[in-house]
Amino acid sequence: KLEELDAYTHTVLHQFPKLERHLLCAEMRTAMNKIMRLTVVAWKRRQKSGALFGLDVEIEVFRGFIRKAHRMGYINTNRLEVWMRHANEIGKMVGAWIKHEGSAMSPSLIFEGQWLSNGGNWSNGANAGLFYLNVNNAASNSNTGIGGRLAND
């Protein structure tokens, strides 16, 4: 679907006026490339939420460019509808992906079956200290490390 949107975008942008080929067209191509890149980044990352948020934002920016092209008279209403349908399909898929990832880490699941650990170990660096809260480990996780840290007043 993403490749279909990219191909349709490429076809439509070739029909824009010459004046806009270096302005709005360039911005739309950049947005489309960001969408494709962020999709790959989200697919490959373990922590997907940041990339998915960026992807969702970039799709919305792209939709805004499509509406702008229509307002400026560069595309007709039929082309607007077809282009928005392509973009909305991607948006729905990303929304479902965000919902799926969100349900995997929802607050109710974090507290049910997740082990909450206050503090952190010495090797955690910035993720250590009294106010660090670790919710990464399952309740069945065991650790033999013990220790303490001195604090100054």
Side-chain angles (χ1 to χ4, degrees), residues 62-82:
F62 189 73
R63 286 178 181 145
F65 286 144
I66 295 170
R67 288 189 297 272
K68 182 178 182 179
H70 182 257
R71 276 194 319 272
M72 303 286 283
Y74 303 144
I75 59 173
N76 61 27
T77 305
N78 181 48
R79 202 152 273 217
L80 169 72
E81 291 172 3
V82 172

Side-chain angles (χ1 to χ4, degrees), residues 18 53 64 73 78 99 105 131 148:
K18 214 172 205 180
F53 176 75
N78 181 48
K99 187 175 181 180
M105 288 300 293
F131 299 107

Side-chain angles (χ1 to χ4, degrees), residues 30-72:
T30 300
M32 190 68 227
N33 288 337
K34 281 184 183 178
I35 290 170
M36 295 183 80
R37 183 183 187 288
L38 286 169
T39 301
V40 172
V41 169
W43 182 255
K44 295 288 186 178
R45 266 199 192 148
R46 292 180 99 196
Q47 300 294 328
K48 299 178 184 312
S49 61
L52 287 173
F53 176 75
L55 178 59
D56 193 39
V57 167
E58 203 59 43
I59 290 169
E60 198 56 44
V61 168
F62 189 73
R63 286 178 181 145
F65 286 144
I66 295 170
R67 288 189 297 272
K68 182 178 182 179
H70 182 257
R71 276 194 319 272
M72 303 286 283

Side-chain angles (χ1 to χ4, degrees), residues 122-137:
W122 184 261
S123 63
N124 281 7
N127 294 333
L130 180 61
F131 299 107
Y132 175 72
L133 183 64
N134 180 355
V135 293
N136 293 330
N137 300 329

Side-chain angles (χ1 to χ4, degrees), residues 102-130:
S103 68
M105 288 300 293
S106 68
S108 62
L109 292 178
I110 288 173
F111 294 110
E112 297 173 17
Q114 292 290 325
W115 177 50
L116 303 177
S117 171
N118 195 9
N121 64 33
W122 184 261
S123 63
N124 281 7
N127 294 333
L130 180 61

